[in-house]
Amino acid sequence: MTGKVLDGNVVDDVSFGAIVQIRDQLLGMQREGKKVYRLESGDPSFKMPEHVAKGIEDAIRRDKTHYTDSTGIPELREAIAHKLREKNNIKTATQENVFVTNGGMNGLYVAFRSLISPGDEVIIPNPMWTEIAEIIKLSGGKPVYIPIERYTNLDDAISHKKVKAVFVNSPHNPTGKVFSMEEITKIVDYAKRENIFVVSDEAYEDVIYDGTNHLSPGSIYEDTISLYSMSKSFAMSGLRLGYVHTNNSKIMERMKKMLRCTINGVNSITQYGAIAALNGPQDVIEEMRKEYQVRRDLIYSGVKDSKYLDPYYPRGAFYLWARLKKYPQGIKDAWGFSKYLLEKTAVGSTPGPVFGPYNEDYIRFAFSANTDDIRQAAELIKNLD
Ligand SMILES: Cc1ncc(COP(=O)(O)O)c(C=O)c1O
């Protein structure tokens, strides 16, 4: 290691991800042979669907292991465009304006990097999954946090001057909020009035409860960049498959360049798995959704009955966001509570400040782990002294 001074790099503004501390502690306990409950992060417990595994296997046997088009193989882009037209009602989607990315994360980076000029501001909700603010910063932009409760009333919220886009994430990580049609329309109307973009992250479009409907802003506003992921919809998180749709020709051009000079195409085998996922039976999505709803009910009722916590009722995604209404003796904030919970019960969680400023008294639980673990964790949280 050398200590040569290297400053002035935008990457230095990005955090290491505070959640790593909690995860390391959990993994340490696991290595010691202790039973732990992995409620600190959202990775589906399900196996990938059988027809996806078959698509991948076939691709290997057919020697589909060479370079692909850097924006995604045409057959996959066609399947994605079809899905966007039929399911998301984004009628403008074609093979030419959809882009296959290395998971939703890479899609977010490529999209923001193609949209933002230095100093541009992007409105994001508070709380918000950390990576959004970090990716905006990496792209030379500035995240402007607006409390999620005020998100449909943006006119009073900001100075307007440098705002390039408003970011929407519905269903929302970490609160599980699903924006209604009326709320999405208000945000879109604001974007229209200000002549700015909507960037819509729909990674959890299929994880939605109680018959709630998902509305894609891209179906009602053409200056929307829409982002999707197969990580949650098809339990394919490790395979890394996301996609982006835009109608803007300049952004299309930039995204093509970005993809060519960064990933130069997603792993070919994964792309064949994704074709199988989109063209095969879709009932797997509903089966997983139902099971997530069982888990949502279990964790919600456990947390609700805890003397320390007051949960927000999630209509989508697999996260429970809860306010700390009181603290155990000697504990002062969410970080302390998260550690206390881990030591007493082996239940992992994520402290609120990870998701943006002023969330000191909040905590997030992910309920993507298997149902038995969620049931036991809910009991442990409920009975925490
Ligand atoms: C809100 C949100 N968007 C996008 C993603 C990206 O997921 P992936 O990169 O696995 O597609 C995640 C992952 O947790 C997320 O929570």
Side-chain angles (χ1 to χ4, degrees):
M1 242 199 307
T2 75
K4 203 170 179 54
V5 177
L6 289 166
D7 49 11
N9 190 312
V10 68
V11 182
D12 296 339
D13 296 338
V14 171
S15 77
F16 267 114
I19 184 63
V20 173
Q21 292 173 31
I22 304 279
R23 191 168 301 152
D24 283 354
Q25 210 172 334
L26 268 165
L27 294 176
M29 289 164 75
Q30 212 165 23
R31 272 195 301 277
E32 287 164 17
K34 290 196 181 121
K35 168 76 188 158
V36 296
Y37 300 90
R38 303 287 312 273
L39 274 63
E40 88 292 358
S41 57
D43 189 359
S45 61
F46 300 101
K47 281 165 83 168
M48 73 176 143
E50 200 41 50
H51 61 279
V52 176
K54 174 116 187 0
I56 289 176
E57 217 176 293
D58 286 353
I60 296 173
R61 304 278 168 245
R62 288 186 292 137
D63 193 27
K64 300 288 189 190
T65 50
H66 295 272
Y67 287 129
T68 70
D69 187 323
S70 56
T71 60
I73 51 183
E75 195 185 345
L76 175 56
R77 281 186 283 124
E78 187 51 54
I80 290 170
H82 182 260
K83 177 259 176 190
L84 290 174
R85 289 192 301 267
E86 296 302 314
K87 181 165 161 177
N88 303 92
N89 209 21
I90 301 178
K91 298 296 181 200
T92 52
T94 67
Q95 210 191 97
E96 307 307 316
N97 60 22
V98 299
F99 299 86
V100 180
T101 61
N102 195 36
M105 183 84 93
N106 171 239
L108 284 159
Y109 179 61
V110 170
F112 276 124
R113 189 71 187 74
S114 301
L115 173 68
I116 290 175
S117 303
D120 280 348
E121 295 177 346
V122 179
I123 302 173
I124 66 172
N126 188 17
M128 187 62 234
W129 181 56
T130 346
E131 278 72 1
I132 300 300
E134 312 277 31
I135 290 172
I136 292 168
K137 285 191 248 168
L138 263 184
S139 308
K142 190 174 160 233
V144 177
Y145 282 104
I146 299 292
I148 194 161
E149 329 57 275
R150 277 171 47 204
Y151 222 62
T152 48
N153 193 12
L154 292 169
D155 281 307
D156 309 333
I158 45 143
S159 69
H160 305 259
K161 287 190 198 77
K162 288 188 171 168
V163 176
K164 188 64 155 280
V166 52
F167 177 78
V168 180
N169 173 223
S170 179
H172 177 243
N173 177 6
T175 65
K177 176 179 169 66
V178 176
F179 287 75
S180 66
M181 184 178 306
E182 199 194 344
E183 289 173 317
I184 297 273
T185 307
K186 277 191 179 168
I187 298 168
V188 163
D189 285 346
Y190 168 78
K192 283 182 183 164
R193 275 199 304 282
E194 295 296 322
N195 195 21
I196 60 174
F197 283 85
V198 169
V199 178
S200 174
D201 176 347
E202 299 170 44
Y204 297 95
E205 63 172 335
D206 291 314
V207 187
I208 195 157
Y209 313 118
D210 313 319
T212 311
N213 285 323
H214 171 72
L215 174 72
S216 299
S219 66
I220 55 170
Y221 183 42
E222 65 173 12
D223 278 326
T224 301
I225 304 179
S226 307
L227 296 117
Y228 301 86
S229 164
M230 293 210 170
S231 295
K232 326 289 175 176
S233 297
F234 292 95
M236 286 167 61
S237 48
L239 289 167
R240 313 306 301 134
L241 198 298
Y243 49 96
V244 183
H245 168 260
T246 175
N247 292 306
N248 185 281
S249 53
K250 192 69 193 173
I251 292 174
M252 282 169 62
E253 195 184 298
R254 289 176 184 166
M255 292 216 301
K256 271 185 202 159
K257 293 181 187 176
M258 287 287 298
L259 286 170
R260 177 171 57 85
C261 295
T262 54
I263 62 168
N264 195 26
V266 169
N267 176 329
S268 57
I269 298 303
T270 288
Q271 293 192 60
Y272 283 96
I275 294 173
L278 290 172
N279 292 344
Q282 301 296 298
D283 47 355
V284 284
I285 294 177
E286 177 57 14
E287 280 162 28
M288 289 191 274
R289 195 201 63 73
K290 275 196 193 138
E291 198 60 26
Y292 285 131
Q293 188 160 322
V294 170
R295 295 173 191 179
R296 190 276 313 262
D297 293 345
L298 287 168
I299 190 89
Y300 180 80
S301 73
V303 171
K304 187 171 57 59
D305 292 342
S306 147
K307 63 180 171 197
Y308 299 115
L309 296 159
D310 182 17
Y312 178 90
Y313 190 71
R315 297 273 180 198
F318 35 58
Y319 304 103
L320 188 82
W321 182 246
R323 187 176 64 84
L324 279 146
K325 58 184 177 192
K326 90 179 218 204
Y327 284 99
Q329 219 180 4
I331 309 285
K332 291 191 298 297
D333 59 16
W335 280 103
F337 185 82
S338 203
K339 287 208 171 97
Y340 179 82
L341 182 68
L342 186 59
E343 279 154 22
K344 294 273 177 196
T345 64
V347 173
S349 60
T350 313
V354 166
F355 302 97
Y358 315 119
N359 295 313
E360 286 84 3
D361 295 325
Y362 288 85
I363 193 161
R364 187 197 78 173
F365 297 102
F367 50 91
S368 49
N370 73 64
T371 308
D372 274 346
D373 275 12
I374 299 299
R375 183 176 289 113
Q376 288 169 34
E379 270 306 292
L380 289 164
I381 296 167
K382 178 172 130 186
N383 297 324
L384 180 73
D385 252 332

